[in-house]
Amino acid sequence: MRVRSVLYMLTVLYLLVGCNGLKTVTFEQLYNKDLNKVSKIEIRSGSTGELKSITDKTIINKFLVKVKNVKLIPDNDQREMKGYKYRVTLYDSEGQTFEFTSTEFNGHYYQPDHDILKVIETIFNETL
């Protein structure tokens, strides 16, 4: 009986810690800066290590238009994860402004979003 009570308390504690106050947000809300000022995007493949740098404003705008309204739902499991399919870094004229993967934004984990992953893969594969 005592073991069952301890397990119950641990389960409740885990659920409380999992409810960390994160809310569903859009990419644009997380970025919290002017997306129009993004002047460079770097995308690194987690599989190969290949890095692609994009400075073409047309491609940058195409990317940002497609991801800015994507809803990001917090993952209940906020434990640190290793590895990524792609890591994206945004820059403006002053330097790096934001870095994310398809599941990690601002140090918090969100449920995998296939829309963002698809956009990242498309831009990565189309860029020389």
Side-chain angles (χ1 to χ4, degrees), residues 29-97:
Q29 289 170 315
L30 275 182
Y31 184 67
N32 200 24
K33 292 179 179 58
D34 186 356
L35 286 170
N36 294 318
K37 292 185 178 181
V38 173
S39 58
K40 181 169 102 173
I41 297 175
E42 288 183 345
I43 304 174
R44 181 173 302 278
S45 167
S47 303
T48 65
E50 182 180 3
L51 178 67
K52 293 197 176 179
S53 184
I54 302 155
T55 55
D56 182 317
K57 195 65 174 167
T58 303
I59 296 172
I60 291 171
N61 288 338
K62 178 180 168 183
F63 175 83
L64 295 173
V65 163
K66 289 183 178 184
V67 301
K68 74 178 184 175
N69 293 316
V70 170
K71 290 198 184 320
L72 301 169
I73 302 166
D75 195 324
N76 288 333
D77 185 356
Q78 290 293 311
R79 290 178 291 175
E80 183 178 358
M81 297 179 204
K82 301 287 184 198
Y84 54 88
K85 184 137 176 123
Y86 295 99
R87 176 166 297 283
V88 179
T89 309
L90 304 181
Y91 296 85
D92 65 14
S93 62
E94 297 177 18
Q96 180 178 327
T97 59

Side-chain angles (χ1 to χ4, degrees), residues 1-11:
M1 189 68 171
R2 185 179 283 232
V3 171
R4 186 175 283 165
S5 295
V6 170
L7 287 175
Y8 177 76
M9 287 176 30
L10 287 173
T11 301

Side-chain angles (χ1 to χ4, degrees), residues 77-123:
D77 185 356
Q78 290 293 311
R79 290 178 291 175
E80 183 178 358
M81 297 179 204
K82 301 287 184 198
Y84 54 88
K85 184 137 176 123
Y86 295 99
R87 176 166 297 283
V88 179
T89 309
L90 304 181
Y91 296 85
D92 65 14
S93 62
E94 297 177 18
Q96 180 178 327
T97 59
F98 197 67
E99 187 172 64
F100 65 94
T101 70
S102 60
T103 57
E104 185 263 323
F105 299 79
N106 283 344
H108 299 289
Y109 294 95
Y110 292 82
Q111 294 176 9
D113 187 281
H114 301 291
D115 291 337
I116 283 186
L117 186 56
K118 197 162 133 181
V119 172
I120 295 169
E121 284 180 332
T122 300
I123 298 293

